[in-house]
Amino acid sequence: MKRSIILFCFGFLILIGGLLFFPVHTKANQNQSVFSGLYLIKGENVELSQVDISISVKNEETSTVTATYEATNTGSDTTSILMGVPLTELSMTDVKFRFSPYLYNSTIVSGDKINSLINNMSVNYASWRTFSFEIALKSGETKTASVTYTTENYSSEDGRLGFNIDLDHLASWSDKPKKVRINASFDPRTVQIYNFDNEFSIEPTEMSPQYNLTWEFDDVTELKEITFNYFPVDEKIKDEIIKGGDGELQEFVTAYETRNYPEVIKIGKEYVKRSQDDKVQNLVYLLMADAYTAQKDYTQTLAIYELITTSDIDYGDLKDRIENKIFINKIISMENLKNYEEMYDLIIYEQSKTNLGAYFEDWLDNAYNRIPEEDLEALIEERKPPTKFEMFLDDFLSGNFTVILIAASIGIVILLIIIYFIRRKRKNKFFY
């Protein structure tokens, strides 16, 4: 009996200790920010001149966040400042806190000890990671505070990676920064425009040819957060292939990942000859098309897309993204083959849609502008709607007015005969 009581008490103490000293992690939800901000927890007359926040999406699982804050003590006395980052359900590792020019240790503190210290706003975070102690900033002195860490990505059930960047925290500083710059970058080997959703909460100021996203603001008074979704389409295609295939398809995916494109084509051809699964077969074709594109065999790329688009396959959540992938790669192939006529028609058709995002519209405009000027002018002239007279003349020359023409001709002959007899009768009256 005593032994049972002792074991119960011991287990109870372990449970309590675990709750007190080990944070409870739950599945991240879509409202979790990859960056919730570097807050000014304590300090007076500390103003920001510039804030730079950078997110580098490393892969499906993790991203690296680096944020720098240029802070100035505008007061007449030295002030002691304490800064920290609130913790969310997204795990945070490899954390480094700096205050130029030194690297500082950090510590995890209960939200009850920090939340009430934040000026100008109400927050309710369960825990914080803060600089390990307060730092002195002399009057008129400007220094840079920064935080760098690796964060877990939020992933929805359909595979979207969600990125929220919270800007509310800027209100904790004495004055809003004069300039805020936010950058999101992606693995250049995998990023494609079809990985992005059609909309951002705030449209990027700029999107580079490598699809790096940049937001720049001189006034952040009305800004709350920046959100966007990113869907690693090709990764999901590979996942679906492995799920529906066998060991041979694992080799196929490995060849694709290592860029062994001749092997991708070889294994792909062998598989589609004997495949009974139309969906997996089409997914294999998609990666084969990528392999042909990498080898600059654009004719084969277009031939595969022609084959795929004639089939009626349900790709589920991948449907729209696969259509975008095919469309974009078609344009790239047509451009390289100098098939500007089909390229032009495809772009004009896509531009007529109403659900395009601003970044995709920009991509289409750039593709349109890459058509050589001479070819573009000829295509515009050729595709120009005909005038009513041109339509009439075309119908006339095509023989569409044959009956009307015969009737009109007969009418004209009859009219001429009548005129002839009338004139002849008048002439006879003149002589009598």
Side-chain angles (χ1 to χ4, degrees):
M1 182 68 177
K2 288 182 178 180
R3 187 170 181 270
S4 299
I5 294 173
I6 291 171
L7 288 173
F8 174 80
C9 293
F10 184 72
F12 182 76
L13 288 173
I14 290 175
L15 176 61
I16 296 298
L19 292 173
L20 289 174
F21 297 105
F22 296 95
V24 178
H25 293 287
T26 59
K27 180 173 175 58
N29 63 64
Q30 193 168 7
N31 294 321
Q32 297 296 320
S33 297
V34 294
F35 183 62
S36 298
L38 180 63
Y39 282 74
L40 180 64
I41 299 171
K42 183 180 178 183
E44 296 181 352
N45 302 316
V46 183
E47 295 185 356
L48 296 174
S49 53
Q50 183 166 329
V51 173
D52 287 280
I53 301 169
S54 174
I55 296 175
S56 176
V57 181
K58 297 166 68 175
N59 49 49
E60 286 186 76
E61 288 76 33
T62 60
S63 297
T64 299
V65 176
T66 301
T68 60
Y69 293 65
E70 193 173 277
T72 302
N73 179 3
T74 59
S76 56
D77 300 318
T78 297
T79 186
S80 293
I81 64 174
L82 179 63
M83 296 164 288
V85 175
L87 300 181
T88 67
E89 294 172 6
L90 298 174
S91 66
M92 180 189 293
T93 57
D94 303 323
V95 183
K96 293 182 177 64
F97 279 4
R98 287 184 173 84
F99 195 69
S100 59
Y102 303 111
L103 181 67
Y104 287 81
N105 291 327
S106 59
T107 184
I108 296 179
V109 184
S110 168
D112 293 338
K113 296 182 179 180
I114 301 294
N115 293 332
S116 60
L117 300 178
I118 307 297
N119 291 325
N120 305 320
M121 59 190 307
S122 175
V123 296
N124 185 29
Y125 289 102
S127 56
W128 293 71
R129 182 180 284 274
T130 71
F131 280 77
S132 54
F133 53 84
E134 296 178 20
I135 305 169
L137 188 63
K138 298 176 182 177
S139 174
E141 189 175 32
T142 298
K143 287 194 172 184
T144 300
S146 69
V147 57
T148 301
Y149 59 88
T150 298
T151 178
E152 168 194 12
N153 292 334
Y154 160 75
S155 181
S156 65
E157 291 184 1
D158 67 357
R160 287 179 297 110
L161 304 183
F163 296 90
N164 292 12
I165 305 157
D166 193 350
L167 300 179
D168 280 340
H169 72 282
L170 297 173
S172 69
W173 296 79
S174 301
D175 194 14
K176 294 289 182 69
K178 297 179 178 63
K179 185 174 182 180
V180 174
R181 187 174 188 274
I182 298 168
N183 178 263
S185 60
F186 308 85
D187 183 346
R189 296 171 301 176
T190 61
V191 64
Q192 297 288 345
I193 195 168
Y194 50 76
N195 289 343
F196 298 99
D197 276 355
N198 283 349
E199 295 181 1
F200 295 92
S201 62
I202 300 173
E203 293 290 345
T205 309
E206 178 185 354
M207 175 182 277
S208 76
Q210 293 75 36
Y211 309 119
N212 289 340
L213 313 177
T214 301
W215 293 263
E216 289 188 350
F217 309 104
D218 296 323
D219 181 11
V220 294
T221 305
E222 300 299 325
L223 299 180
K224 297 296 182 183
E225 67 178 1
I226 290 174
T227 66
F228 64 93
N229 291 320
Y230 180 79
F231 195 110
V233 177
D234 294 331
E235 295 299 317
K236 298 304 176 187
I237 290 174
K238 289 188 289 183
D239 290 345
E240 290 295 317
I241 288 174
I242 291 172
K243 284 180 187 177
D246 50 26
E248 184 179 24
L249 288 184
Q250 178 62 65
E251 294 176 12
F252 173 80
V253 169
T254 301
Y256 181 85
E257 291 176 335
T258 56
R259 305 186 183 188
N260 186 352
Y261 297 122
E263 190 69 9
V264 170
I265 295 168
K266 176 177 174 292
I267 297 175
K269 283 182 176 179
E270 292 171 355
Y271 176 78
V272 297
K273 283 179 182 178
R274 58 179 178 77
S275 170
Q276 300 297 318
D277 189 324
D278 291 342
K279 179 179 177 181
V280 177
Q281 184 184 90
N282 276 16
L283 294 174
V284 167
Y285 271 134
L286 280 173
L287 298 194
M288 287 177 64
D290 289 346
Y292 279 120
T293 300
Q295 296 188 146
K296 302 186 186 309
D297 192 346
Y298 302 108
T299 301
Q300 286 296 332
T301 299
L302 292 174
I304 285 180
Y305 286 149
E306 188 66 29
L307 181 66
I308 290 175
T309 52
T310 58
S311 61
D312 186 20
I313 302 296
D314 181 12
Y315 298 106
D317 294 327
L318 284 171
K319 178 180 179 296
D320 291 340
R321 302 178 191 282
I322 285 177
E323 288 179 357
N324 286 341
K325 173 185 173 75
I326 292 174
F327 169 81
I328 288 167
N329 290 340
K330 272 186 173 181
I331 293 293
I332 292 171
S333 297
M334 290 171 183
E335 181 178 1
N336 280 280
L337 291 171
K338 296 181 170 38
N339 186 352
Y340 299 123
E341 183 173 359
E342 288 189 47
M343 178 181 173
Y344 174 88
D345 290 339
L346 200 56
I347 290 172
I348 295 301
Y349 171 76
E350 195 69 14
Q351 285 177 329
S352 67
K353 296 181 179 179
T354 58
N355 61 340
L356 301 176
Y359 61 97
F360 193 58
E361 288 182 4
D362 184 61
W363 188 90
L364 288 171
D365 289 341
N366 289 334
Y368 180 89
N369 292 331
R370 289 197 302 272
I371 299 175
E373 186 175 351
E374 183 177 339
D375 295 271
L376 187 59
E377 289 177 355
L379 287 165
I380 293 172
E381 181 64 28
E382 184 180 324
R383 300 299 194 274
K384 188 169 62 177
T387 63
K388 289 183 178 180
F389 175 75
E390 288 172 333
M391 291 172 65
F392 173 82
L393 185 61
D394 183 63
D395 284 340
F396 180 80
L397 295 176
S398 299
N400 294 336
F401 296 136
T402 303
V403 175
I404 297 175
L405 179 62
I406 293 173
S409 300
I410 294 172
I412 291 171
V413 170
I414 293 172
L415 181 62
L416 290 174
I417 293 172
I418 291 172
I419 293 173
Y420 170 77
F421 280 107
I422 291 174
R423 292 182 64 183
R424 183 175 179 182
K425 187 175 181 180
R426 287 179 178 175
K427 187 176 180 180
N428 290 338
K429 284 184 179 182
F430 179 77
F431 286 104
Y432 288 100

